[in-house]
Amino acid sequence: MTVFAQWEGLMMDWKILNRNVIEEFRINSGRVAQFGDLPVVILNTIGAKTGNLLEVPLITVIDDGHMYLFGTNAGAKKQPVWIYNLRANPVIDVEFKTDVFSANLTELIGQQRKTRIHLQSQRTPQFADYVTSSAPRRIAVFRIDRL
């Protein structure tokens, strides 16, 4: 069973879920029980349309000394909204564990994107399922670069 099995097949209110994850993250120095040992970040994004500050908790992948984010949207056919916000405003604050830092979130394209998707698909069967179920949508990949 995956750490997300409890959510699969259920209609959920993402706003409530995200609020709860953010609260637990901050209380427990960046740890969120339902995600086990998976590293979590909170993106402090700026809304592309509204300009409002939005907090988005996401699981990050740490590899080769970099942090990566994948816009899987749990395998849905639609892109997650946070992708549009990062494309419009890529310089944001990121929370990781107890650290808060400014970062530029760089969207990977071409072969870099394909390589990251392939590596993550090989490592995580659930991610591979998301790639399949989201097709023909292309899952966006971002690298978090500290400023």
Side-chain angles (χ1 to χ4, degrees):
M1 181 187 315
T2 66
V3 293
F4 302 106
Q6 63 188 347
W7 305 111
E8 291 177 10
L10 300 175
M11 264 319 242
M12 64 181 118
D13 184 332
W14 286 103
K15 288 182 181 180
I16 292 172
L17 175 65
N18 284 352
R19 233 185 348 255
N20 292 340
V21 168
I22 290 166
E23 181 180 350
E24 184 177 347
F25 175 98
R26 289 181 175 148
I27 289 170
N28 296 312
S29 302
R31 302 212 17 106
V32 179
Q34 71 187 27
F35 301 135
D37 290 331
L38 297 173
V40 177
V41 294
I42 297 175
L43 306 181
N44 294 280
T45 66
I46 300 165
K49 292 182 181 178
T50 65
N52 293 338
L53 179 64
L54 304 165
E55 297 176 322
V56 182
L58 296 170
I59 292 172
T60 187
V61 173
I62 302 172
D63 191 30
D64 296 331
H66 295 284
M67 298 169 85
Y68 297 94
L69 301 172
F70 295 87
T72 63
N73 205 16
K77 297 289 184 190
K78 292 175 64 174
Q79 295 281 20
V81 174
W82 60 264
I83 286 174
Y84 302 108
N85 296 338
L86 289 181
R87 287 175 177 160
N89 301 292
V91 177
I92 63 168
D93 287 337
V94 175
E95 298 176 47
F96 179 63
K97 297 182 180 179
T98 59
D99 193 17
V100 179
F101 57 92
S102 294
N104 184 53
L105 278 80
T106 304
E107 186 169 6
L108 303 184
I109 58 173
Q111 192 57 47
Q112 283 186 318
R113 180 195 156 278
K114 288 179 186 176
T115 298
R116 283 283 140 206
I117 294 285
H118 176 75
L119 287 171
Q120 193 61 21
S121 293
Q122 295 298 309
R123 293 176 180 153
T124 312
Q126 184 175 17
F127 181 87
D129 291 344
Y130 288 168
V131 171
T132 300
S133 66
S134 65
R137 177 174 73 85
R138 293 174 46 151
I139 292 174
V141 181
F142 288 84
R143 184 182 63 237
I144 299 173
D145 297 315
R146 282 180 183 254
L147 295 178

